[in-house]
Each structure stands twice: as structure tokens, then as C-alpha cells.
Amino acid sequence: MPRRSFSAPTAIAADPLDLARRLLDEGEPSLADLASHTGLSASHLQRRFRARFGLSPAEYLARKKLGTLKAALREGRDVTTALYDAGYGSPSRLYEQGAAKLGMTPATYRAGGRGVAIRWTLVDTVLGRTLVAATERGICAIELGEDDTALERRLRDEFPHAQLERVEAGRDDFLAPRLQAVAERLAGREADVPVDLLGTGFQQRVWDALMKVPEGETVSYAGLARQLGAPRAARAVASACAHNRIAVVVPCHRVIRGDGSLGGYRWGLPRKQQLLARERG
């Protein structure tokens, strides 16, 4: 399947980086194509695009295609149709580019994680009872609550067909170091926590942007939508925050309403207040 064509917007954007992103959203231009349409050199465009959006143009395009694929699979479309609609030229290209980032094959993702190994445990943290779950690629869920049964139910609802294995906290060579890193982050200290973010392309863009909001600062739903170049998508941003499964590490607690009120929080407004007060202090 040939590279998808694209055409430059009729109204040239004042900002060459915004124009480059619009071209990527509309087709599959090469870096040379983008440089030609924006008037920047390829190397300069590459550097500035990564500085603005956190991804190279090629990575941005790959993320967009993967998001389209995931959304189609979630809707129940067959893998062959989904892969071509997403812009993968062949099944081999899909498995080279897509399966590795899904953390599972597309068919398995569509089947609710069937066969994927997820290890999880329950631990006490400074924020209360916490469920931590991980695939081989990283943390896929951090759920906060008080009731162990409810926490486990959330995990099983999220990954209904995965191979879920409960392990003893601190006694599993795979999960133990990840648990320590999670505990550090929940306590407000720096720690590198590898994550396995599974969601639509837009959700991943929101979650990526959230992880760039500095500690002690907040952003409004509308403000985050504007940062993403989708100023009318404040509700979609709020929905992405509500679907975030990784508490604190993906800091959706730093998103508030435009009037300064807290808005919602998957793990309860008292915890959101607690987290914001701690970070501001």
C-alpha cells in the first residue's frame, strides 16, 4: 500500500510547527515534505518539533497511526480492515510498528488483553490502599481505594481476558522494583516509573501532556486542549483524564476547571485536594 498522500492546508498557518502538525494529521508526509511546506530545514524542523510536542515528526505520525488502530480494534473492527485504515501498508508493517507499542498483538488488544500476562499486588502507601499492576513493558494500572475487592474488580473490568496473577508485594523479582518506584512517586519523591499506556491516540496525547505539567502547577481542561492544538476538545480532555488508570504517575490531579474549582477525579476529590496541597507545599 503506497504512502498516503497529503495536501497542505489552504490557509497557511503562521506557526510552521502548527502547520507541520496539521500536515501530519492529514496525511503521511516525509520529513523532506514537511521541511518544504514549512520553510524550515529538515534538521531545524526536527529539533523544534520535538521541543514543542515531545516527539519527532516520525514518532508523532507513528503515534497517530497506532491510536487510530487501537480505536478501531476497540470498536470491534477486524484486524485487516483496521490496519489498512490506520495507514499500515501490510500486516508485517503493523506487527513491526504497532504490536510492540501495544504491548500485545492487535488481535489480543481487541480481545480485551486475552493471554497477556499482568502481575499485580495490593500495598499500603501514603495515599492509602493501592493496587499496582504491570505488563512486561511497564506499569499499566495504579488504582487507589479502601476496599481490596473493589480495587481488584476494577482491574478485572479493565483487562477482562488477561492472565492476571496476584503476587506477594516485595517477593516477586519482576514487580518488586517497580513497586518501590511507584511507592516513591506516591510519596511525592522522584523515581523513574516505566508505564505501559494503553488508550486511543488522543488519550495518549493527553496523558503525555499531563506528565509534562510541573509539580506544584495546574492546568485547566480548556488550557490543556489548547496546548494539544484542539481548543474545542476540553470535554475530550476531561474524558481522557477520567480514563487514566495510572494514578499520580500520570498526574491528572493537576487538571482543574477554568474557574479554579477542582473538577472531577477518578479516585475522589479529597485525594485530589491532598495531592495538590502536598505539591504546592
Side-chain angles (χ1 to χ4, degrees):
M1 184 176 180
R3 175 182 288 273
R4 288 183 175 180
S5 61
F6 75 99
S7 52
T10 54
I12 300 300
D15 187 327
L17 300 183
D18 287 340
L19 173 57
R21 186 173 63 180
R22 289 174 62 186
L23 292 172
L24 289 165
D25 286 339
E26 295 173 6
E28 296 187 23
S30 66
L31 183 61
D33 291 329
L34 293 175
S36 174
H37 281 86
T38 60
L40 301 175
S41 70
S43 59
H44 191 200
L45 172 63
Q46 179 105 324
R47 288 196 301 272
R48 288 184 59 186
F49 194 94
R50 182 181 288 280
R52 168 79 66 84
F53 302 114
L55 301 166
S56 70
E59 290 167 340
Y60 183 94
L61 182 58
R63 178 67 59 84
K64 182 193 75 169
K65 290 166 66 175
L66 184 61
T68 301
L69 169 68
K70 287 181 175 182
L73 293 173
R74 281 285 198 187
E75 291 168 1
R77 302 177 71 177
D78 67 272
V79 173
T80 300
T81 300
L83 77 91
Y84 284 114
D85 285 351
Y88 294 98
S90 67
S92 63
R93 294 294 291 169
L94 166 62
Y95 282 86
E96 288 169 9
Q97 299 177 12
K101 293 179 182 178
L102 282 169
M104 58 190 76
T105 68
T108 301
Y109 184 84
R110 179 188 175 200
R114 190 180 304 280
V116 174
I118 296 177
R119 298 181 187 180
W120 65 278
T121 194
L122 288 159
V123 292
D124 290 313
T125 70
V126 295
L127 297 178
R129 202 65 172 151
T130 302
L131 183 148
V132 181
T135 69
E136 63 180 2
R137 297 186 176 277
I139 300 297
C140 63
I142 299 173
E143 292 280 0
L144 306 176
E146 303 300 334
D147 184 272
D148 289 3
T149 301
L151 288 171
E152 181 178 352
R153 187 185 308 118
R154 285 188 203 170
L155 180 68
R156 294 189 181 280
D157 288 346
E158 193 67 47
F159 303 102
H161 303 302
Q163 294 177 354
L164 298 174
E165 178 187 359
R166 181 172 181 174
V167 298
E168 289 297 322
R171 297 185 181 179
D172 182 86
D173 291 340
F174 174 82
L175 196 56
R178 291 163 173 80
L179 276 177
Q180 182 60 38
V182 168
E184 291 292 312
R185 288 293 291 275
L186 295 188
R189 295 185 286 271
E190 288 295 321
D192 182 25
V193 181
V195 295
D196 191 0
L197 298 174
L198 300 175
T200 68
F202 185 79
Q203 286 174 335
Q204 289 197 10
R205 287 176 62 198
V206 171
W207 299 334
D208 285 342
L210 286 173
M211 289 190 283
K212 296 181 176 70
V213 178
E215 182 176 335
E217 297 184 16
T218 58
V219 62
S220 70
Y221 296 102
L224 191 57
R226 288 193 296 270
Q227 288 181 29
L228 296 172
R232 298 182 180 179
R235 288 187 178 181
V237 167
S239 177
C241 291
H243 286 86
N244 170 34
R245 296 179 298 270
I246 304 180
V248 182
V249 174
V250 178
C252 55
H253 60 277
R254 294 175 189 162
V255 188
I256 61 175
R257 290 176 177 163
D259 63 4
S261 60
L262 291 182
Y265 191 54
R266 176 175 176 139
W267 297 283
L269 290 182
R271 280 196 180 87
K272 187 171 187 174
Q273 289 178 308
Q274 176 187 0
L275 288 166
L276 291 175
R278 184 180 73 185
E279 292 181 356
R280 287 168 178 160

